[in-house]
Amino acid sequence: MSYWNRVLHDARRREAYTKFVRTQDAGLGAFLEFDPARRLDPPLAEHADPGDVSYAGSVSRARSRGAAAGGETPESALAGVPFAVKDNIAVAGFNLTCASRILEELQSPYTATAVRRMEAAGARVVGKTNLDEFGMGSSTDNSALGVTHNPYDHTRVAGGSSGGSAAAVAAGLVPVALGSDTGGSVRQPASFCGVYGLKPTYGAVSRYGLVAFASSLDVVGVCARELSPLQAVFNVIRGLDERDHTSQEPVSGPSAKVSVVGVLTGLQGLDPAVRAAYERTVEYLQGLGYALREVELSTLKYVVPAYYTIATAEASANLARYNGVRYGLRPERAENPDELVRIARDEGLGPEVKLRILLGTYVLRSGFQDQYYLRAQRIRTAIRNELARAFDNVQAILTPTVPVLPFAHGEGELTAFQQKLADIFTATASLAGIPALSVPCESTTGGLPVGMQLLAPAFAEERLFAVAGRLAEAAGERGLVARPENYPPLPDWAAAKGYELDWS
Amino acid sequence: MENEELRVTAELAEIGLSESELQSLGVAVSELVRYFATMMEADLEELEPTTHALMAHNRTRADEPSAEPEATAESLLENAPELEDRFIVIPNVL
């Protein structure tokens, strides 16, 4: 983490840091709100909650885990460290827009458990990041509130839906950021922006304070440039929270040791650069001493239709709450309450969100449920079974994160439908509920980053970190993916601007 | 999908669609529904549906207010578009 726990330390450093982020983000668009002073000293009420087992429990658990590992405790690693939060995760004092017109003015009245746990470990929220409206998209172009670019090439997207979080980390504006991942929304932008992106096991991290999109798939995830802070964040935010009844303590059992890695056979439809990167990573793993074993996933072709059936069905129910009555955008005039709701939703929701609500409503209509929703859920069972069988023989599986490279803004290179098809590898892990990590593996000759995805059985996140750690070690100082040009680290930028500050 | 089908679906979803939206969204919805139909080929005999990937059982907490409630009634009311005292105002239901 080096200089990161110093940047909020005193007024001079905060001033330099604030200028740095405002200057660098002006052309990038990662943040919807940025104010490092706002939660520098959170009101005591948020911390002094003796009845809140989630809060106190996370600190003591983090401490004992850190001590057991014999190293730095996670909370000391995060002390004073700034972090960004995707704007569909609640942080009191900031807005909670979900990048939607309908919630543009919404002030969050409370703070998500994952954020509270980060702050309890000493980290501080500095801002809220852009996303595809309600997390629906693969480009962040579906944000109603701003455009986010890829730090490696401003004509290209940062990915999505956690595009703002990934871009902020890639540009060095924060060392870590929280995002949400329903079908790949942390891993895909992490891959496009050359950073790590973790989707934990479903239920490993509390969803309390995460605005619901598809409740059986949603998880809070983490983006980071380096592996160790990503692990520190995961260790702090995970664990049981009585405010989310799907949250769980990690199930003990799966060992962290990886000796055999599964590689996919019969991969189709990959961009040549992604295919080459996949093959090189496989060779790399072999060179590191891992045994490889071919894995065939015959259910892969059903992943995307099953995922979109389930995700849109759940979204249509979850988003029914936005009606402009108690909060959110309300039309100037309406003849009656029904009209008020229809106008609020028509004016407040963007086209992609409407599309998914309509689809979800359609697949749940009486007469169609067996054909679509129930069928998708049975495919989900087939996918889980097939992955469980694969994990009998291998401890982890390597796939590309995304079959395509970061694409240009708009639909010129990849239509909205093709963007959905590209969720194939990430949505596989989402449907099975298993953990997955996108690892920045290499850069193309054109300088675009390519990520690879590691999968492990439920609650075996340590295996992902172990393999990713070996890959990073082997790459050495150079790292696997170079930093984007024009986005120097804060100390270099500050020195060039004449700030005489010691960041060590 | 027929326009009429889409209209009924939009009504159920409480979304008012303009004519141009009916056109553009109609194309996109139809494209995806056709794509969803590829699931029909899958052999799923004797497979139970998965509703939640990893939920072992329902867990409830005590039905008691938190010692330190985070969101107060006041902070929630502050987000309401229109208030009269502590009541949220909507158009007449008549």
Side-chain angles (χ1 to χ4, degrees):
Chain A
M1 298 295 260
S2 58
Y3 56 90
W4 281 113
N5 55 7
R6 313 281 296 166
V7 305
L8 302 174
H9 199 258
D10 55 72
R12 286 266 298 145
R13 285 186 180 80
R14 279 201 301 278
E15 182 201 313
Y17 176 56
T18 305
K19 274 216 172 106
F20 165 70
V21 174
R22 292 205 193 285
T23 309
Q24 298 295 79
D25 196 42
L28 186 67
F31 282 97
L32 289 174
E33 265 187 294
F34 177 77
D35 181 4
R38 208 172 301 172
R39 285 188 67 92
L40 206 53
D41 186 21
L44 268 176
E46 294 219 15
H47 279 276
D49 184 354
D52 180 358
V53 292
S54 57
Y55 167 78
S58 81
V59 177
S60 63
R61 270 196 313 281
R63 224 170 249 139
S64 60
R65 278 192 207 118
E72 211 178 10
T73 57
E75 73 263 39
S76 69
L78 295 175
V81 168
F83 70 106
V85 179
K86 187 179 182 179
D87 207 15
N88 63 348
I89 299 174
V91 181
F94 283 92
N95 289 337
L96 182 57
T97 67
C98 298
S100 179
R101 289 262 171 250
I102 208 163
L103 297 183
E104 193 174 359
E105 307 288 325
L106 184 70
Q107 290 273 315
S108 179
Y110 70 114
T111 301
T113 297
V115 173
R116 288 167 61 102
R117 289 181 176 182
M118 288 283 285
E119 292 196 327
R124 286 293 176 265
V125 179
V126 294
K128 302 298 291 291
T129 52
N130 200 10
L131 63 149
D132 285 301
E133 187 174 357
F134 287 107
M136 297 179 180
S138 310
S139 61
T140 308
D141 284 354
N142 296 337
S143 167
L145 305 181
V147 179
T148 303
H149 301 303
N150 191 307
Y152 286 88
D153 179 349
H154 283 191
T155 67
R156 295 179 183 278
V157 302
S161 66
S162 310
S165 286
V169 170
L173 311 185
V174 282
V176 292
L178 295 183
S180 66
D181 191 313
T182 305
S185 278
V186 164
R187 292 161 284 160
Q188 188 259 23
S191 173
F192 277 14
C193 290
V195 298
Y196 291 95
L198 173 71
K199 177 202 101 73
T201 306
Y202 180 80
V205 178
S206 169
R207 291 176 296 124
Y208 180 75
L210 166 64
V211 175
F213 160 12
S215 307
S216 79
L217 300 160
D218 292 341
V219 295
V220 172
V222 192
C223 284
R225 168 173 293 286
E226 291 166 56
L227 204 50
S228 66
L230 181 118
Q231 280 179 268
V233 170
F234 174 63
N235 281 328
V236 160
I237 63 176
R238 71 176 171 170
L240 183 76
D241 174 17
E242 66 170 12
R243 289 169 165 150
D244 172 6
H245 79 134
T246 60
S247 67
Q248 302 184 36
E249 281 299 335
V251 175
S252 61
S255 115
K257 196 172 152 41
V258 178
S259 49
V260 188
V261 177
V263 295
L264 293 185
T265 58
L267 283 174
Q268 287 172 350
L270 298 186
D271 183 286
V274 175
R275 178 176 292 278
Y278 185 69
E279 284 163 3
R280 266 193 295 273
T281 309
V282 169
E283 280 171 28
Y284 216 25
L285 287 173
Q286 203 161 24
L288 287 169
Y290 290 104
L292 303 175
R293 196 172 179 135
E294 292 193 338
V295 169
E296 197 202 334
L297 294 179
S298 63
T299 45
L300 208 53
K301 61 183 169 193
Y302 302 121
V303 162
V304 177
Y307 166 73
Y308 275 94
T309 304
I310 292 169
T312 57
E314 293 182 12
S316 73
N318 275 325
L319 272 67
R321 74 192 63 174
Y322 304 111
N323 56 17
V325 174
R326 294 171 192 82
Y327 56 90
L329 184 83
R330 178 186 282 196
E332 291 280 323
R333 228 174 252 101
E335 287 291 323
N336 55 59
D338 286 342
E339 190 184 83
L340 181 144
V341 172
R342 269 197 302 277
I343 298 175
R345 286 165 73 81
D346 191 36
E347 290 178 349
L349 301 173
E352 181 66 27
V353 175
K354 285 180 186 166
L355 167 66
R356 296 198 193 194
I357 291 174
L358 289 170
L359 263 175
T361 307
Y362 182 77
V363 299
L364 289 178
R365 272 175 66 181
S366 79
F368 298 130
Q369 279 198 14
D370 286 2
Q371 201 177 337
Y372 297 110
Y373 189 57
L374 205 65
R375 196 157 187 89
Q377 288 186 321
R378 292 169 76 197
I379 286 176
R380 192 174 183 182
T381 309
I383 291 162
R384 285 178 62 199
N385 291 349
E386 194 166 34
L387 281 165
R389 278 196 299 276
F391 284 125
D392 284 342
N393 301 312
V394 302
Q395 288 88 45
I397 296 174
L398 182 79
T399 80
T401 306
V402 199
V404 295
L405 293 174
F407 49 87
H409 285 291
E411 292 195 61
E413 277 185 20
L414 221 56
T415 65
F417 181 64
Q418 289 168 325
Q419 291 175 27
K420 291 184 173 72
L421 298 185
D423 290 344
I424 182 162
F425 301 117
T426 49
T428 299
S430 303
L431 286 173
I434 59 173
L437 177 69
S438 180
V439 181
C441 274
E442 58 177 72
S443 304
T444 63
T445 44
L448 294 173
V450 185
M452 291 295 143
Q453 178 181 242
L454 288 162
L455 308 174
F459 296 105
E461 279 87 354
E462 292 302 323
R463 290 188 193 170
L464 308 176
F465 301 142
V467 179
R470 293 287 307 282
L471 283 169
E473 247 173 58
E477 277 294 300
R478 160 186 79 82
L480 292 153
V481 171
R483 293 183 75 97
E485 278 175 42
N486 306 323
Y487 289 98
L490 166 64
D492 297 1
W493 181 91
K497 296 284 171 187
Y499 284 95
E500 286 176 18
L501 291 166
D502 176 14
W503 299 96
S504 58
Chain B
M1 189 188 295
E2 301 282 327
N3 271 0
E4 192 44 40
E5 283 282 290
L6 192 63
R7 265 201 200 91
V8 173
T9 308
E11 211 175 290
L12 289 168
E14 297 271 21
I15 292 177
L17 290 182
S18 64
E19 274 308 309
S20 69
E21 276 180 321
L22 204 61
Q23 286 304 317
S24 60
L25 286 172
V27 171
V29 170
S30 299
E31 183 177 36
L32 281 160
V33 168
R34 267 200 310 278
Y35 179 56
F36 288 174
T38 58
M39 293 191 295
M40 298 307 155
E41 305 159 8
D43 177 15
L44 303 169
E45 266 189 49
E46 289 172 27
L47 286 181
E48 289 295 315
T50 295
T51 52
H52 268 79
L54 295 166
M55 206 158 72
H57 51 83
N58 264 333
R59 197 181 66 240
T60 54
R61 60 180 162 81
D63 186 18
E64 291 161 4
S66 167
E68 297 254 357
E70 279 194 77
T72 59
E74 278 64 33
S75 70
L76 296 171
L77 285 170
E78 270 171 29
N79 277 305
E82 197 181 343
L83 283 178
E84 246 179 58
D85 298 327
R86 284 168 58 85
F87 294 97
I88 293 169
V89 181
I90 58 165
N92 289 329
V93 187
L94 278 176

